[in-house]
Amino acid sequence: MIPDVIDNDSLAQCMLLRKLSPTEWQAILSGGREHRVLPGEYFFHQGEESNQLYILLAGQVKLTQVTEAGNQVVIGYLRPGDGLGIVVALSNMLYPLSAEAMELCLAVGWARDDMKALMLHYPQLALNSLEMVGERFAELQERFRDLATRRVEQRVARALLRLVRQFGKRVAEGVLIDIPLSRQSLAEMTGTNLYQVSRLVSRWEKEGVVQSEHQRITILKAHELVILGEDL
Amino acid sequence: MIPDVIDNDSLAQCMLLRKLSPTEWQAILSGGREHRVLPGEYFFHQGEESNQLYILLAGQVKLTQVTEAGNQVVIGYLRPGDGLGIVVALSNMLYPLSAEAMELCLAVGWARDDMKALMLHYPQLALNSLEMVGERFAELQERFRDLATRRVEQRVARALLRLVRQFGKRVAEGVLIDIPLSRQSLAEMTGTNLYQVSRLVSRWEKEGVVQSEHQRITILKAHELVILGEDL
DNA sequence: CGTAAAATTGACGCTAATCAAGGTCCGTGG
DNA sequence: CCACGGACCTTGATTAGCGTCAATTTTACG
């Protein structure tokens, strides 16, 4: 049974459950299990058998890959309402990446076969999943194109803008990216190294475009970043 | 009505229709329309409203994107059995890329809403779609990681190996990549330019790893390419 | 046979990765 | 509360990798 922590408001805005009735929510959710994951712990690791999929209800999650050579790549970050391992688990693949909780996370998890059964019974569930995957797919494609065609400066600028869209929080001076964000992670998102990122952020800070503290970046002039990202 | 050209054999191996019965195939296919697309023509263009989705039955299709700056990126190639615009159309997005027929193509196309209705009626259809998307997603993620962490030489080597897996055809000397493949296209797949690709292919040809004619590449020593792709 | 597209090769210059050295911030335990 | 260690960040110098331009050759196709 799903605890009271999961109120109807947070469920209503979850894309997986759209166009389904609250009574159907109950049926679907009771097929899953509640999971709590502590900061620093993992939902799953790259390379494991994928037999479990989740919907994140609270907390932030970081998705990373490691290459054979040991290089890390940050695939992205998740917010409440996002899905974890949905396509992967349904395709019987190994998890292609690791999902780490950046703070205390609350999620609902289903066994692969249970979710398949649910989807066969509530086809709208599968349609919603397709839509969720579609958005993620589009974003990955955009980032792929960035990596293929743009220079480091533009890629980092655009990565910051994406993070603003996802985690932006209005503050007095501008928009704060409300996750702990190291130079290293930004580099791993944009296919470069921490040195380049550090240089860029330092320069932008001198120019008054951004403002940065330890692991925190605030965008002061988003329009400037847009221009930098477009390459002119 | 779907013509006889579409025999049961080619349908049986189409992932979209797996775990469905031949009578269900008929119902699903009769909700769609047959399309023929001539070489050089397009299923759809980047930026158009996506209200149509397809399953490719015969022919090869090239997926490309253009950036604002005018750079082309090759997202990939499709074979018979692959889907076109499935996620995109179901997510009510604009087509994020263009799909060009490289030869005479035969496909079944559905209107977005018709396919949604079919999926609600035959949930297995939606599950199969999710699985198809999953594979494509994993491949894109792999290529993203390549772009983020590997040097040009490795990326091109690995792109060739992927193409071998997809379009490889055993010939006397080795494995032919059985699509017209220009240096330019190979460059657009790997985030570099035709000059680098030309140099690499020339060198590999001197070393006896590959053999190339106009727009055709044959891999003679795949294991060598694997080593090059791993970076040692 | 002529034209346009595709491919080759060399030279040059810039971008970005790498290495090194030192500074800053943070949580932990004495 | 302060000292310490580890993670995070900065900045400069160096160099390798890569993109770009230019000139030429090869190939396909009408």
Side-chain angles (χ1 to χ4, degrees):
Chain A
M1 196 48 205
I2 300 296
D4 304 330
V5 183
I6 307 177
D7 58 284
N8 275 7
D9 283 353
S10 68
L11 290 176
Q13 66 193 18
C14 167
M15 195 182 295
L16 186 76
L17 298 175
R18 281 194 335 190
K19 301 190 192 172
L20 290 160
S21 68
T23 52
E24 287 170 321
W25 298 353
Q26 273 312 313
I28 291 163
L29 290 171
S30 64
R33 237 189 72 223
E34 188 208 350
H35 289 255
R36 279 170 202 281
V37 182
L38 299 176
E41 296 193 339
Y42 286 79
F43 281 86
F44 47 78
H45 288 91
Q46 180 175 358
E48 289 175 0
E49 281 289 341
S50 67
N51 33 35
Q52 195 81 5
L53 54 104
Y54 306 86
I55 291 292
L56 187 60
L57 296 174
Q60 290 168 347
V61 174
K62 182 175 181 178
L63 303 177
T64 58
Q65 276 192 331
V66 195
T67 67
E68 303 84 51
N71 295 313
Q72 261 218 10
V73 180
V74 174
I75 298 294
Y77 296 90
L78 300 182
R79 284 177 301 179
D82 289 336
L84 278 113
I86 296 199
V87 233
V88 182
L90 293 172
S91 303
N92 305 326
M93 306 160 63
L94 302 181
Y95 289 116
L97 46 76
S98 303
E100 178 189 356
M102 304 203 307
E103 47 186 33
L104 175 61
C105 286
L106 182 65
V108 192
W110 290 266
R112 186 207 5 259
D113 295 334
D114 292 346
M115 180 48 90
K116 277 190 182 170
L118 283 169
M119 284 182 170
L120 288 172
H121 200 262
Y122 304 104
Q124 185 65 47
L125 250 189
L127 279 178
N128 291 343
S129 299
L130 271 167
E131 203 162 328
M132 292 172 75
V133 173
E135 288 180 10
R136 292 263 281 274
F137 201 95
E139 198 204 305
L140 185 59
Q141 225 165 47
E142 183 190 315
R143 290 180 59 192
F144 178 83
R145 194 184 45 200
D146 279 5
L147 222 36
T149 63
R150 307 184 113 98
R151 280 174 297 113
V152 169
E153 180 176 19
Q154 305 162 43
R155 298 205 301 265
V156 176
R158 291 165 65 85
L160 284 179
L161 290 170
R162 266 195 304 272
L163 288 167
V164 162
R165 256 177 267 137
Q166 211 183 349
F167 297 104
K169 190 177 158 188
R170 279 223 64 88
V171 291
E173 317 88 309
V175 188
L176 167 70
I177 294 171
D178 200 16
I179 49 170
L181 185 66
S182 67
R183 305 286 185 263
Q184 178 70 34
S185 293
L186 250 181
E188 286 166 358
M189 293 185 73
T190 50
T192 182
N193 54 53
L194 76 164
Y195 307 108
Q196 306 287 342
V197 172
S198 179
R199 279 180 238 278
L200 285 169
V201 175
S202 294
R203 210 177 70 210
W204 291 338
E205 196 156 16
K206 281 195 197 93
E207 296 168 2
V209 179
V210 306
Q211 180 182 319
S212 90
E213 295 145 68
H214 188 71
Q215 304 241 59
R216 289 160 57 90
I217 296 185
T218 306
I219 292 9
L220 305 181
K221 300 183 190 163
H223 53 286
E224 289 288 342
L225 267 192
V226 173
I227 292 170
L228 285 167
E230 294 298 341
D231 188 18
L232 305 170
Chain B
M1 198 46 206
I2 300 296
D4 304 331
V5 184
I6 307 178
D7 57 281
N8 276 7
D9 283 354
S10 67
L11 291 178
Q13 67 193 16
C14 166
M15 195 182 295
L16 187 75
L17 299 174
R18 281 191 338 188
K19 301 190 193 173
L20 291 159
S21 68
T23 52
E24 288 170 321
W25 298 353
Q26 274 311 312
I28 291 163
L29 291 170
S30 65
R33 237 189 72 222
E34 189 208 351
H35 289 255
R36 278 168 203 282
V37 181
L38 299 176
E41 296 192 339
Y42 285 79
F43 281 86
F44 47 77
H45 289 90
Q46 180 176 357
E48 288 175 1
E49 281 289 341
S50 66
N51 33 36
Q52 196 79 4
L53 55 104
Y54 307 86
I55 290 293
L56 187 61
L57 296 174
Q60 290 167 348
V61 173
K62 182 177 181 176
L63 303 177
T64 59
Q65 276 191 332
V66 196
T67 66
E68 303 84 51
N71 295 313
Q72 262 217 10
V73 179
V74 174
I75 298 293
Y77 296 90
L78 299 183
R79 285 176 301 179
D82 289 336
L84 277 112
I86 295 197
V87 233
V88 183
L90 293 172
S91 303
N92 303 327
M93 306 161 63
L94 302 181
Y95 288 116
L97 46 77
S98 304
E100 178 189 357
M102 303 203 303
E103 49 187 31
L104 175 61
C105 285
L106 182 64
V108 192
W110 291 266
R112 187 209 1 261
D113 295 335
D114 292 347
M115 180 49 90
K116 277 191 182 170
L118 283 168
M119 285 182 169
L120 288 172
H121 199 262
Y122 303 103
Q124 185 66 48
L125 250 188
L127 278 180
N128 290 342
S129 299
L130 270 168
E131 202 161 328
M132 292 172 74
V133 173
E135 288 180 11
R136 292 262 282 275
F137 201 95
E139 199 204 304
L140 186 59
Q141 224 165 50
E142 183 190 316
R143 290 179 60 193
F144 177 83
R145 195 184 45 198
D146 279 5
L147 222 36
T149 62
R150 306 186 113 98
R151 282 175 293 114
V152 168
E153 179 175 20
Q154 306 162 42
R155 298 206 300 265
V156 175
R158 290 165 66 87
L160 284 179
L161 290 171
R162 267 195 303 271
L163 288 167
V164 161
R165 257 176 265 137
Q166 210 181 349
F167 296 104
K169 190 177 155 187
R170 278 224 64 89
V171 292
E173 316 88 310
V175 188
L176 168 70
I177 294 171
D178 199 15
I179 48 170
L181 185 66
S182 67
R183 305 285 185 263
Q184 177 70 33
S185 294
L186 207 40
E188 287 167 357
M189 294 185 72
T190 49
T192 181
N193 55 52
L194 74 164
Y195 306 107
Q196 306 287 341
V197 173
S198 179
R199 278 179 237 279
L200 285 170
V201 175
S202 294
R203 209 178 71 210
W204 290 339
E205 196 157 16
K206 280 196 197 91
E207 295 169 2
V209 178
V210 306
Q211 179 182 320
S212 90
E213 294 146 67
H214 186 72
Q215 307 241 57
R216 289 161 57 89
I217 295 185
T218 306
I219 291 15
L220 306 181
K221 300 182 189 164
H223 52 286
E224 289 288 343
L225 267 192
V226 173
I227 293 169
L228 286 167
E230 295 298 340
D231 187 19
L232 307 170

